[in-house]
Amino acid sequence: MDNMSLYLTIALSPLVGSLLAGLFGKYIGRAGAHTVTILSVAISTVLSIWVLYGFINGTRVRFDENIYTWLTMGGLDFSVGFLVDSLSAMMMVVITSVSLMVHIYTIGYMHDDSGYQRFFSYISLFTFSMLMLVMSNNFVQLFFGWEAVGLVSYLLIGFYYKKPTAIYANLKAFLINRVGDFGFLLGIGLVLAYFGGGLRYADIFANLPAVQNATIQLLPGVEWSLMTVTCLLLFVGAMGKSAQFPLHVWLPDSMEGPTPISALIHAATMVTAGLFMVSRMSPMYELSTTALNVIMTVGAITALFMGFLGMIQNDIKRVVAYSTLSQLGYMTVALGASAYSIAMFHVMTHAFFKALLFLAAGSVIIGMHHDQDMRNMGNLKKYMPITWITLLLGSLSLIGTPFFSGFFSKDSIIEAVHASSLPASGFAYFAVMASVFVTAFYSFRLYFMVFHGEEKWRKVDHTGHHQGEEHHGLTQHDNPHENPWVVTLPLVLLAIPSVIIGYFAIEPMLYSDFFKDVIFVNHDVHPTMAIMKEGFHGPLAMVSHSLQSPVLYLALAGVVTAWFFYTKATHIPAKIASTFSPLYKLLDNKYYLDEIYYAVFAKGSRALGNFFWKVGDTAIIDNGIVNGSAKLVGAIAAQVRKMQTGFIYTYASAMIFGVLVLVGMTFWRLFAG
């Protein structure tokens, strides 16, 4: 198989599975739908692993070719093509492997759902869209994949389309991502206009020396760096897709979708698209220190302040969602520090342990008969041992426990920020350090509330507690039970890389040639990675050093605090909430950003829409142009109609008058001449 056929097979295989399940789901049945989609994603997974292995052992070379040109306009070619290098290959493996686990898990989770075939079709289509995004060699195809994942996420978040909260959530996600995508599109427009007349990455990068010092006038008489403006506009797109402050508000509400898609969207795929784009565009971002400072600041705010919100959530999925937001902030901070390889390293490790956490949370939800409130759980380790141990492993990786995958990537980010010389690095370092404690606290708050303590569902009356078609909550006499193998197997398989992959991947990904000629860093201006390479002496030395660093003790403090609050002195959290009631209310209302957006943008746009409707449409167009012209014609016709009397003498008089006018005009010309 030649390279082109190989990459087409990887990209298109999930699309074939999606079409078969979506269009012929009624004919092939539920078993047929999950079989074709799982098989198609499995093919992509195996081939992606083969491709990545080729890059690891040096037998595979960078591939950058167009498949076909679909539009030529004004001398510009808009093509579909693939760029497969070590960065793409790593993302392909992450996307397909996590997607495969989600597909298998879905068999158990969605077993009784009436939209079974439709869901499998959607998640396979989502996988295809992400593959097209990460494999693209130009901005046109990137934007196609970018919008496609947005569309499919809209369908998946609103999967329960009869549920009002799901409808609101998918509309919210769609609109906020359109805000980000508008900025992204403007950035692509600037690239097309000023960066050499093309949208292929190779052509853009080749033309960077010619435009690195160019300026642009956004306001008359005010010069702006073209590179900075372009990078910031592209980053606006990343802020929407990767849920960075203040465009983050859609992600927690997206928990209204089924749990498998929460894992797929928020772990390895959609939310990492923006981070991937910035890393791919590293040659551009290295030319704008201003843009890097903005990126670092936004990431630091997201990492810390979204973590605060995770500390007070009671919905198990929302805790994991805010954890995702905080970790995305970490990755963004790494991008700002010019540590693109570390950001992508954390993307990889985070994909596995966060998918594990989401799927484990889903397993808990199934065991609790779809009750998601952690206040109704407790002591589940007795009934769900596999879910218990896998969620514990995922949590240990998340908080950065030495030897776990999350430790190597998360601690590397903290070191990168510490080594950065950017003005924003001081605040960012404080934010990521504080987030260590916060992350450990909310992660193990979830763990202790769910798996330890008393069995609180026995004190909750669920009589008549129904939502939609599903019964929510165990009765006082029910016992949770471990789920079937289609649910637990993905947990076990995801737990393995969550524990070990960081140890083996850190050195080749960060400090060797894995990303050579793929990610570009100007070490003279941004020496972060050079400094870190000097101080790196292997993963074991990194673990040894961590025993003396404050990071480990902050994480340990978070775990101990959560243990004390939620197993020993369970009355303290409520007392703290009442003592600091204004602060708690601020956090509970998510900093009132939803209310601000609704009051300013939603109501403002409605008021503007009403104005255009009343004044523009009704008054000017309808009453003025359409109805006004009709009335004018009617008025003229009414006057003309008076001349139509039906009497011969009237018409004769008109004829005589006309003849006299003609004769008068004739003689006037004679006398005037």
Side-chain angles (χ1 to χ4, degrees):
M1 182 185 295
D2 65 308
N3 285 330
M4 182 65 77
S5 301
L6 171 64
Y7 298 137
L8 280 170
T9 303
I10 293 173
L12 297 180
S13 185
L15 178 62
V16 173
S18 172
L19 293 174
L20 289 172
L23 299 177
F24 306 102
K26 289 183 179 179
Y27 305 102
I28 63 178
R30 296 162 73 92
H34 72 235
T35 300
V36 295
T37 52
I38 290 174
L39 183 62
S40 65
V41 175
I43 292 170
S44 292
T45 304
V46 172
L47 294 177
S48 296
I49 292 171
W50 183 40
V51 170
L52 179 62
Y53 181 71
F55 282 108
I56 292 172
N57 64 20
T59 58
R60 187 169 294 279
V61 296
R62 172 189 175 99
F63 179 89
D64 185 2
E65 290 185 20
N66 289 337
I67 301 171
Y68 71 93
T69 300
W70 63 274
L71 176 65
T72 299
M73 180 178 65
L76 298 173
D77 293 333
F78 296 90
S79 302
V80 175
F82 289 149
L83 168 59
V84 180
D85 51 23
S86 54
L87 178 60
S88 304
M90 184 271 289
M91 288 296 296
M92 287 155 59
V93 170
V94 169
I95 291 164
T96 53
S97 58
V98 172
S99 179
L100 181 60
M101 295 299 104
V102 169
H103 274 72
I104 296 170
Y105 179 92
T106 300
I107 297 174
Y109 193 88
M110 304 291 288
H111 183 264
D112 299 323
D113 199 284
S114 58
Y116 190 83
Q117 293 99 312
R118 176 166 59 95
F119 189 82
F120 272 99
S121 177
Y122 286 172
I123 57 178
S124 283
L125 184 59
F126 191 95
T127 308
F128 159 74
S129 303
M130 273 305 299
L131 287 171
M132 290 299 287
L133 190 156
V134 300
M135 295 172 70
S136 63
N137 71 344
N138 61 83
F139 268 113
V140 175
Q141 189 176 325
L142 175 71
F143 193 71
F144 164 77
W146 196 273
E147 294 301 306
V149 293
L151 171 63
V152 185
S153 71
Y154 171 84
L155 298 172
L156 285 164
I157 294 168
F159 184 78
Y160 299 122
Y161 54 84
K162 295 181 180 179
K163 190 177 176 184
T165 52
I167 298 169
Y168 176 80
N170 73 347
L171 182 61
K172 186 177 180 180
F174 193 80
L175 290 176
I176 290 173
N177 272 279
R178 297 295 71 74
V179 174
D181 292 353
F182 180 67
F184 189 50
L185 200 56
L186 290 176
I188 294 174
L190 286 180
V191 170
L192 182 61
Y194 294 99
F195 285 68
L199 290 173
R200 187 168 174 171
Y201 301 152
D203 298 335
I204 296 167
F205 297 157
N207 201 57
L208 285 180
V211 295
Q212 63 179 342
N213 296 318
T215 59
I216 185 173
Q217 286 192 14
L218 299 179
L219 298 171
V222 182
E223 298 285 341
W224 296 74
S225 166
L226 173 64
M227 195 63 63
T228 297
V229 172
T230 305
C231 288
L232 287 176
L233 286 172
L234 292 175
F235 180 65
V236 170
M239 287 170 65
K241 199 66 71 184
S242 295
Q244 295 298 294
F245 178 89
L247 300 182
H248 67 278
V249 294
W250 67 269
L251 191 139
D253 286 356
S254 66
M255 296 297 104
E256 293 294 337
T259 299
I261 201 53
S262 299
L264 196 56
I265 290 178
H266 306 135
T269 52
M270 179 175 166
V271 292
T272 62
L275 306 165
F276 168 81
M277 183 274 297
V278 174
S279 297
R280 177 64 79 195
M281 296 295 114
S282 58
M284 291 175 58
Y285 282 90
E286 283 300 287
L287 298 174
S288 177
T289 301
T290 303
L292 292 176
N293 270 295
V294 171
I295 291 171
M296 183 178 282
T297 303
V298 169
I301 293 171
T302 307
L304 182 59
F305 289 93
M306 298 305 107
F308 287 151
L309 297 183
M311 296 170 71
I312 65 158
Q313 301 298 316
N314 294 311
D315 185 309
I316 187 171
K317 284 175 66 176
R318 285 186 178 261
V319 175
V320 187
Y322 280 109
S323 163
T324 301
L325 279 173
S326 184
Q327 295 305 302
L328 289 169
Y330 269 90
M331 301 171 204
T332 306
V333 166
L335 295 175
S338 295
Y340 308 97
S341 55
I342 298 179
M344 298 315 297
F345 181 42
H346 197 50
V347 164
M348 180 187 71
T349 60
H350 175 265
F352 293 114
F353 66 69
K354 187 53 58 71
L356 170 61
L357 288 171
F358 267 117
L359 296 186
S363 180
V364 169
I365 292 169
I366 298 172
M368 291 297 298
H369 286 200
H370 293 274
D371 186 354
Q372 298 180 193
D373 195 330
M374 297 189 300
R375 294 170 295 185
N376 300 335
M377 304 177 188
N379 199 34
L380 291 189
K381 67 181 176 68
K382 176 181 175 182
Y383 305 98
M384 306 177 73
I386 299 174
T387 303
W388 163 59
I389 193 67
T390 51
L391 189 141
L392 176 59
L393 292 173
S395 299
L396 288 170
S397 190
L398 170 63
I399 70 171
T401 307
F403 286 109
F404 284 72
S405 294
F407 161 77
F408 294 104
S409 56
K410 192 173 178 179
D411 273 38
S412 295
I413 292 174
I414 295 171
E415 289 179 24
V417 176
H418 186 63
S420 175
S421 57
L422 293 181
S425 61
F427 167 67
Y429 185 68
F430 165 77
V432 294
M433 287 293 285
S435 295
V436 171
F437 172 85
V438 173
T439 302
F441 178 82
Y442 65 63
S443 299
F444 276 82
R445 172 179 178 265
L446 180 154
Y447 171 76
F448 289 121
M449 287 181 73
V450 173
F451 293 105
H452 293 268
E454 60 179 335
E455 298 172 0
K456 294 183 263 314
W457 72 86
R458 301 197 189 280
K459 299 181 179 180
V460 180
D461 183 13
H462 286 284
T463 306
H465 186 190
H466 294 267
Q467 183 172 339
E469 299 176 355
E470 297 179 354
H471 177 72
H472 283 245
L474 297 168
T475 67
Q476 297 173 354
H477 307 290
D478 290 334
N479 288 328
H481 57 82
E482 191 59 271
N483 291 293
W485 71 268
V486 288
V487 173
T488 55
L489 178 64
L491 300 183
V492 174
L493 293 177
L494 285 168
I496 296 168
S498 297
V499 176
I500 67 171
I501 199 169
Y503 181 88
F504 295 103
I506 182 169
E507 189 163 358
M509 285 189 69
L510 304 191
Y511 305 111
S512 72
D513 295 335
F514 185 73
F515 287 132
K516 186 181 179 182
D517 299 327
V518 177
I519 289 173
F520 298 88
V521 179
N522 186 347
H523 295 290
D524 295 330
V525 182
H526 308 123
T528 301
M529 290 305 298
I531 295 170
M532 290 188 64
K533 188 174 182 178
E534 290 177 6
F536 182 78
H537 303 290
L540 287 176
M542 188 173 175
V543 171
S544 175
H545 179 264
S546 72
L547 301 177
Q548 305 169 17
S549 76
V551 178
L552 178 62
Y553 298 104
L554 282 169
L556 186 62
V559 173
V560 171
T561 306
W563 168 79
F564 183 73
F565 282 6
Y566 294 95
T567 63
K568 298 299 179 183
T570 55
H571 64 284
I572 290 181
K575 190 173 181 179
I576 293 174
S578 64
T579 305
F580 300 96
S581 177
L583 179 60
Y584 182 84
K585 192 175 180 181
L586 178 68
L587 296 177
D588 192 42
N589 287 280
K590 298 171 285 188
Y591 308 117
Y592 294 99
L593 284 174
D594 282 337
E595 287 79 3
I596 292 170
Y597 289 163
Y598 182 76
V600 176
F601 296 106
K603 286 189 175 181
S605 59
R606 286 186 64 183
L608 191 63
N610 282 331
F611 171 79
F612 284 124
W613 169 39
K614 298 287 187 182
V615 177
D617 189 36
T618 304
I620 297 175
I621 297 174
D622 288 348
N623 294 335
I625 299 174
V626 179
N627 296 337
S629 59
K631 289 178 180 177
L632 180 62
V633 170
I636 295 172
Q639 299 304 316
V640 172
R641 191 162 52 245
K642 293 177 180 180
M643 300 171 63
Q644 304 289 332
T645 62
F647 296 110
I648 294 176
Y649 65 81
T650 303
Y651 305 135
S653 300
M655 291 172 63
I656 293 169
F657 178 74
V659 169
L660 290 173
V661 170
L662 291 173
V663 171
M665 290 174 63
T666 303
F667 280 101
W668 175 261
R669 288 195 189 96
L670 289 173
F671 289 120

